[in-house]
Amino acid sequence: MINIAILGFGTIGSGVAEVVEKNQAEIQKILGGETLHVKYILDIRDIPGAVKDIETIINDPDIKVVCETMGGKEPAYTYTHLALERGISVCSSNKELVDAHGVELSAIARSHHCSYLFEASVGGGIPLIRTIREACGHEKISKIAGILNGTCNYILTNMKDGKDFDSALKEAQEKGYAERNPAADVEGHDTARKIAILASLISGKKISYEQVDCEGITNVTAEDFVNADAYGMSIKLLGVYDAGADTVLVAPHLVPKDNALYNVNGVFNGVMLKGNMVNDLLFYGRGAGKLPTASAVVSDVIECIKNIGKNIDNGFADLEPGTINRAPEKNPEQKFRTLSW
Ligand code: HSE
């Protein structure tokens, strides 16, 4: 039996426990017959059986992997640091922490022969980071454009269908898609963190979300959708990394009907990537929500277990802080940029 711990038993953390329980047979099969068991849950709330101190977990030699599904910088940073220093791998859904401290934590993991993986931090359930890191590791990726925030896409899709912004946001919150502070969603910061993580992986230099030119969706109106529709377009919040121009941008874009991202609706995320050999790739899946995001965490847990005692190169440990160019100004006569692909 392989024991893990879950730090933070909110939407995603409780989803991890559910994935482990429901897909135990499948997990066992890829772990060569071993069962996976959630031995500890850490949460500040009074949850039956949960512990409140990290020491209990990191002092238990049975624990080789923990899932950090707390979100926010602290205490997630301190707990991750402590675990990695003990050689315990950490699988995180926490894009804020990956953006702020991912390089340092990855280097700690490497020097302690364990791993720091964060598949669930970008694109929810879409296996995007591992694909970029492994299947596309040999590609020269020139561009990536993605709908990376399920909440914003849910709101924009509903607005296109005539619903108002506030009730669409409320629905997204009720479904557990939104951030604790939904300003991070609607002002584009969540998308900025995600595209910054992808741009860092692809460019080989650390780009932080503060460097990203960022505009959210709060100025998008129902009338804008009517106008866009008249030109055969929709409006999507996109994170775009252009390797040639060396720019990273988050902004609402007009997306033409003949582009695949036009049909990415609701909570779904869609990411397009251009490699010099493979050419265009399209990734599509649920970018937020309990089980899809938890599934991505569990996929990291399995990778860590298969590599116990070794460090998995996550592409972050050697990144130096990098500069990027400002995105070109948009045409002042147009309210939105148009996706060019
Ligand atoms: N609030 C985020 C979203 C959660 O809506 O996409 C997943 O990162």
Side-chain angles (χ1 to χ4, degrees):
M1 183 161 70
I2 294 162
N3 291 288
I4 62 168
I6 300 172
L7 314 183
F9 206 61
T11 306
I12 304 168
S14 59
V16 169
E18 199 174 326
V19 172
V20 169
E21 190 199 322
K22 290 198 167 140
N23 282 16
Q24 184 63 236
E26 288 71 21
I27 294 169
Q28 213 175 326
K29 205 168 155 198
I30 45 176
L31 289 182
E34 293 272 14
T35 53
L36 189 61
H37 172 64
V38 179
K39 183 166 182 182
Y40 298 106
I41 287 162
L42 179 146
D43 203 285
I44 48 168
R45 294 164 301 173
D46 289 323
I47 294 171
V51 300
K52 290 194 188 325
D53 66 303
I54 189 72
E55 296 299 325
T56 304
I57 296 171
I58 59 174
N59 286 334
D60 183 338
D62 275 359
I63 300 293
K64 300 282 185 274
V65 182
V66 302
C67 305
E68 188 273 289
T69 50
M70 312 179 86
K73 283 189 196 147
E74 281 295 358
Y77 170 73
T78 302
Y79 291 178
T80 301
H81 207 294
L82 286 169
L84 294 172
E85 279 181 331
R86 303 277 175 111
I88 299 170
S89 293
V90 178
C91 303
S92 176
S93 59
N94 187 340
K95 57 240 153 177
E96 191 178 345
L97 190 60
V98 174
D99 175 67
H101 296 291
V103 173
E104 178 199 355
L105 293 170
S106 302
I108 295 170
R110 187 161 67 184
S111 56
H112 290 83
H113 313 290
C114 58
S115 301
Y116 182 56
L117 299 184
F118 39 85
E119 182 63 66
S121 67
V122 181
I126 306 173
L128 185 60
I129 289 182
R130 188 169 302 123
T131 307
I132 289 175
R133 182 158 58 76
E134 290 182 356
C136 294
H138 62 288
E139 286 283 336
K140 291 187 186 33
I141 296 173
S142 58
K143 195 161 181 174
I144 186 158
I147 296 169
L148 290 166
N149 185 274
T151 301
C152 288
N153 207 39
Y154 189 86
I155 293 170
L156 294 175
T157 303
N158 276 276
M159 285 175 76
K160 190 173 191 295
D161 294 340
K163 226 185 205 145
D164 67 87
F165 184 97
D166 289 338
S167 56
L169 172 59
K170 193 161 167 277
E171 268 181 38
Q173 286 173 304
E174 282 164 5
K175 288 175 190 262
Y177 303 152
E179 296 300 300
R180 266 179 290 189
N181 175 7
D185 294 300
V186 298
E187 285 168 11
H189 301 153
D190 180 77
T191 302
R193 288 196 172 95
K194 292 166 177 169
I195 193 71
I197 292 170
L198 297 181
S200 299
L201 274 175
I202 294 168
S203 67
K205 61 186 178 187
K206 178 66 180 64
I207 296 160
S208 85
Y209 103 100
E210 286 101 343
Q211 293 169 270
V212 176
D213 285 302
C214 182
E215 180 191 335
I217 62 166
T218 50
N219 291 328
V220 181
T221 65
E223 197 190 347
D224 292 329
F225 280 99
V226 176
N227 293 337
D229 193 53
Y231 290 93
M233 309 237 198
S234 189
I235 302 163
K236 300 286 184 190
L237 184 71
L238 300 182
V240 183
Y241 166 60
D242 185 326
D246 205 15
T247 56
V248 189
L249 162 79
V250 173
H253 280 69
L254 293 167
V255 177
K257 254 189 190 129
D258 62 2
N259 185 285
L261 296 181
Y262 179 96
N263 289 314
V264 176
N265 290 317
V267 70
F268 282 89
N269 282 191
V271 180
M272 289 173 66
L273 174 159
K274 202 182 275 297
N276 67 330
M277 295 293 133
V278 72
N279 206 261
D280 288 347
L281 291 174
L282 174 68
F283 302 85
Y284 175 83
R286 287 182 187 272
K290 181 175 175 168
L291 295 177
T293 312
S295 176
V297 176
V298 172
S299 77
D300 278 348
V301 169
I302 291 166
E303 200 183 355
C304 287
I305 291 170
K306 286 171 154 178
N307 288 280
I308 282 180
K310 286 187 268 182
N311 172 252
I312 299 162
D313 181 3
N314 65 5
F316 251 55
D318 291 318
L319 298 184
E320 297 285 346
T323 56
I324 48 172
N325 295 326
R326 294 298 310 252
E329 292 296 322
K330 71 172 182 247
N331 180 343
E333 284 167 20
Q334 286 172 0
K335 183 165 173 184
F336 302 112
R337 296 166 192 270
T338 303
L339 171 62
S340 78
W341 191 261

